Amino acid sequence: MESDTLLLMRLYWRLDWRQTSERSGMRLFRIGLLALVGIFLAVMSGLGGYGLGQVMQMPDIPLDINPGFIPGAILTVVLLAALLTSPNQAVRALYLSDDLDQLVAAPIKTRSITVSKLLTRLSWTILFVLILAGPALITYGIGIGAGIGYYIAAFILLFLAPLFGLSIGALLAMILVRWLPAKRLGEMLAAAYALIGILIALLFQLPRFIDFSGAADPQTVETLGKISDTVTNAPIPTLLAGQGLIDVGQGQLSLGLSRMVAYILITLGLFIVTILLSDRLYISGWLRMQGNSAKRRGITEDSGRLQGGSLLSTIAVKDWLLRLRDPRQLVSLVGGSLIAIVVGGLAIFRGTGGEAGLLEASQSGALDLPRQFAFFAAAFSPGVILSSAVLFVGYTVFNQLSTTSLALEGHSFPILKSAPITPRQVWQGKAISAWVPYAVVVTVLIIIAWVVVRFSLPWAFYAWACLLLMGTGMIAMNTSLGFRFANLEWTDTRRMITGAGGFYIFLISAVYLLATGLIALLFFALAAVFPVASIPLAIVGLIVIAAGTAFWIWLAGKWAESAWNRLGEE
């Protein structure tokens, strides 16, 4: 078994190295850029670890924290990263790779296949976490003045930490594949990761609810110290190992080694159990997957929910059915909407650390300019601030929705291209699928904004019309750019558009929205200076934006038609 495992691991490493060395110059540049970012983050991690170690040595530190809490927390982060990423990694490596048929048929033990794939196909996320955690763990020991035993043990424990999470993730994947198709399970896990990322992004908004102006309550500081002691002494393997590191660094070898040996036995024991169970679980799951793929469901004639609608509405509804069926698309859409609403709402209604938000500052007059600057002061009125927030939400949610509308077809695109339908009809149907919900969301948000803050009702209609026109142009052009930069070979929803395409889409969208937004604001500001001519100025402003948007839509349609013939041919 050992020789087969080492042979497969060497082959996988050679394949990875060959694929990396044969990549294009742009991809090598990105790899180099990521390496520089990794080095920068590793340096910052090391400085942070050393700073924490120095703080722990201060005699008058207000918060009494057990020194073993920091290394235990670092090892716990590595374990959690492995635990979160390993199920999806295991599904891809063990069930969705291209070499499974040959490996299962070859005279190689199943355990060798499992071990080699798990060890050589570790997620880049785990490697990234190790790069971040390693310097912090080492420099923390330097900061507290730990002995040489600390660094030797830290090196060993750091590389054993992913095995615990990897073992649990692999077992979970092998069990779930017995009930769910591997591809469907991969989609659900990707959706779960996206949801976790969204929750983490929302957690970063918690400081907005905390007032940092006052001093910390001594009782609160004492309570935090007790909580850290409780957590450090909890029967959690990584925290136990962290306390053992400190003991070894302080010369208490017997106590420290006993704690670390317990952690190592738990980690390696669980990994060995995973390998022993892999024979039956892996093979049975693989055979079940082959049986499921061989099934052929009967096809019955059904009028379907799309019959009777126009061609454009049929395309639009079909796109939404595809999105709702894919949990990754659904989580991305709902999560993106939630983040946009929360971030936009917090920016308007609440500042950082208890400060006043933009809306409160505007209503209190903190953002008001002198009367002679009334033209510029219009930009800081409550209606403009709320309308900008609505535009931010609309762009955040529906930008990706429109750009990925064609990439949504994936490998089914040749069927669409051979169908008796013109490129413009496809472009119009895709744009409609994003524009209709955009119009509904913008209308609802403008109504809510006006109810919450009773700004001028006529100008609320003006803002609503401007947002609809701006959204129409944005969605039309983004749908067209999605034709040009679609990645029809995507397997990850984050890769539905090429890397260069994402940059161009953002740049062009920003230019269009900035230009039309300034035009809308210009006529509103002119009306503030000349209130007698408010109605004519609002009408002229809408006409100018409508004319510019009409030209933008015509240009987008031309670009979509020119990109159509190259789709699927490159």
Side-chain angles (χ1 to χ4, degrees):
M1 172 183 169
E2 292 79 8
S3 59
D4 291 341
T5 302
L6 294 176
L7 174 62
L8 288 176
M9 291 176 66
R10 287 198 301 268
L11 291 176
Y12 281 131
W13 284 329
R14 288 181 182 178
L15 288 174
D16 292 341
W17 174 253
R18 183 178 301 175
Q19 291 175 359
T20 303
S21 60
E22 292 178 354
R23 287 180 173 177
S24 63
M26 180 59 71
R27 292 184 178 178
L28 289 177
F29 171 76
R30 292 175 184 170
I31 293 174
L33 184 62
L34 288 175
L36 291 177
V37 172
I39 293 173
F40 172 77
L41 293 177
V43 171
M44 297 302 294
S45 170
L47 293 176
Y50 181 77
L52 287 173
Q54 289 291 305
V55 170
M56 297 296 295
Q57 294 295 103
M58 294 181 179
D60 55 347
I61 180 174
L63 185 61
D64 185 17
I65 300 179
N66 191 312
F69 176 76
I70 301 299
I74 294 174
L75 294 175
T76 303
V77 169
V78 177
L79 183 148
L80 291 177
L83 179 61
L84 291 175
T85 58
S86 58
N88 187 45
Q89 194 71 15
V91 171
R92 292 180 178 276
L94 298 177
Y95 299 100
L96 298 179
S97 58
D98 298 331
D99 58 355
L100 286 180
D101 295 338
Q102 292 84 355
L103 288 176
V104 174
I108 301 176
K109 292 184 178 180
T110 308
R111 294 175 185 173
S112 299
I113 299 174
T114 305
V115 174
S116 62
K117 282 183 172 292
L118 291 180
L119 294 182
T120 58
R121 290 299 183 260
L122 285 174
S123 172
W124 284 98
T125 305
I126 299 176
L127 178 61
F128 191 69
V129 172
L130 288 175
I131 293 175
L132 290 181
L137 193 62
I138 299 300
T139 56
Y140 178 77
I142 297 175
I144 63 175
I148 187 64
Y150 172 92
Y151 307 104
I152 298 174
F155 182 82
I156 297 173
L157 295 181
L158 186 64
F159 284 91
L160 287 178
L163 289 182
F164 191 92
L166 181 66
S167 302
I168 297 177
L171 281 175
L172 182 64
M174 286 187 285
I175 292 173
L176 290 178
V177 167
R178 298 171 64 88
W179 288 281
L180 292 173
K183 185 176 180 180
R184 187 65 173 173
L185 178 59
E187 293 176 353
M188 296 178 66
L189 289 172
Y193 296 149
L195 183 60
I196 292 172
I198 291 167
L199 294 177
I200 293 175
L202 293 177
L203 285 176
F204 279 104
Q205 302 301 319
L206 286 179
R208 291 181 179 269
F209 298 96
I210 302 175
D211 188 1
F212 298 100
S213 58
D217 184 5
Q219 186 176 359
T220 303
V221 174
E222 183 182 357
T223 302
L224 290 176
K226 292 180 179 179
I227 291 175
S228 68
D229 280 338
T230 303
V231 172
T232 304
N233 296 320
I236 300 175
T238 48
L239 296 177
L240 189 68
Q243 188 61 47
L245 275 176
I246 300 300
D247 294 335
V248 171
Q250 294 176 348
Q252 302 178 13
L253 295 180
S254 59
L255 180 60
L257 288 176
S258 63
R259 288 174 171 173
M260 289 191 298
V261 167
Y263 167 75
I264 293 173
L265 289 177
I266 294 173
T267 301
L268 293 180
L270 183 59
F271 187 73
I272 292 173
V273 170
T274 302
I275 301 306
L276 293 176
L277 294 177
S278 65
D279 265 343
R280 177 170 299 181
L281 290 176
Y282 184 31
I283 288 297
S284 61
W286 183 83
L287 291 175
R288 185 180 297 272
M289 183 181 70
Q290 299 301 312
N292 290 337
S293 63
K295 293 181 180 179
R296 295 293 182 266
R297 297 182 179 180
I299 300 177
T300 59
E301 184 177 355
D302 187 4
S303 59
R305 66 187 71 184
L306 302 179
Q307 186 175 357
S310 67
L311 179 60
L312 301 184
S313 63
T314 298
I315 294 175
V317 173
K318 184 267 300 178
D319 281 2
W320 274 103
L321 292 177
L322 289 176
R323 292 189 182 98
L324 296 176
R325 180 185 177 276
D326 189 344
R328 298 169 298 176
Q329 301 276 351
L330 189 59
V331 169
S332 178
L333 176 61
V334 176
S337 305
L338 186 60
I339 289 178
I341 293 173
V342 171
V343 173
L346 288 176
I348 291 176
F349 295 103
R350 190 175 183 86
T352 303
E355 298 176 358
L358 289 175
L359 186 60
E360 183 180 348
S362 175
Q363 292 175 325
S364 64
L367 300 179
D368 288 349
L369 297 177
R371 189 173 183 83
Q372 58 268 30
F373 297 104
F375 180 85
F376 300 99
F380 301 104
S381 64
V384 173
I385 293 175
L386 289 171
S387 300
S388 301
V390 173
L391 179 62
F392 170 74
V393 172
Y395 172 79
T396 304
V397 176
F398 297 97
N399 172 54
Q400 183 181 8
L401 200 67
S402 55
T403 55
T404 59
S405 57
L406 185 71
L408 192 66
E409 303 291 338
H411 295 287
S412 301
F413 173 74
I415 300 175
L416 179 64
K417 193 171 185 179
S418 61
I421 182 174
T422 64
R424 183 168 288 271
Q425 288 174 323
V426 176
W427 170 71
Q428 290 173 343
K430 299 287 186 181
I432 288 174
S433 70
W435 183 84
V436 171
Y438 170 85
V440 173
V441 169
V442 165
T443 302
V444 172
L445 290 180
I446 283 291
I447 293 173
I448 294 175
W450 184 82
V451 171
V452 174
V453 180
R454 295 299 181 92
F455 55 95
S456 173
L457 182 59
W459 285 110
F461 280 104
Y462 173 79
W464 172 71
C466 289
L467 291 176
L468 287 183
L469 290 172
M470 294 166 66
T472 302
M474 177 196 71
I475 289 173
M477 181 56 71
N478 285 354
T479 304
S480 177
L481 293 173
F483 278 40
R484 175 64 183 85
F485 299 107
N487 176 22
L488 300 174
E489 304 295 328
W490 65 274
T491 55
D492 188 343
T493 53
R494 297 169 297 180
R495 303 291 185 267
M496 297 175 73
I497 298 295
T498 61
F503 171 75
Y504 287 117
I505 290 170
F506 170 77
L507 180 62
I508 294 175
S509 298
V511 170
Y512 168 74
L513 292 177
L514 182 62
T516 52
L518 289 177
I519 292 173
L521 184 60
L522 171 64
F523 285 93
F524 175 70
L526 288 173
V529 178
F530 306 102
V532 178
S534 296
I535 296 178
L537 286 172
I539 294 174
V540 172
L542 291 176
I543 291 174
V544 172
I545 296 175
T549 300
F551 172 75
W552 197 250
I553 293 174
W554 173 82
L555 186 63
K558 289 294 184 181
W559 283 7
E561 289 179 334
S562 64
W564 177 264
N565 293 329
R566 290 181 291 180
L567 285 168
E569 304 295 335
E570 298 178 353

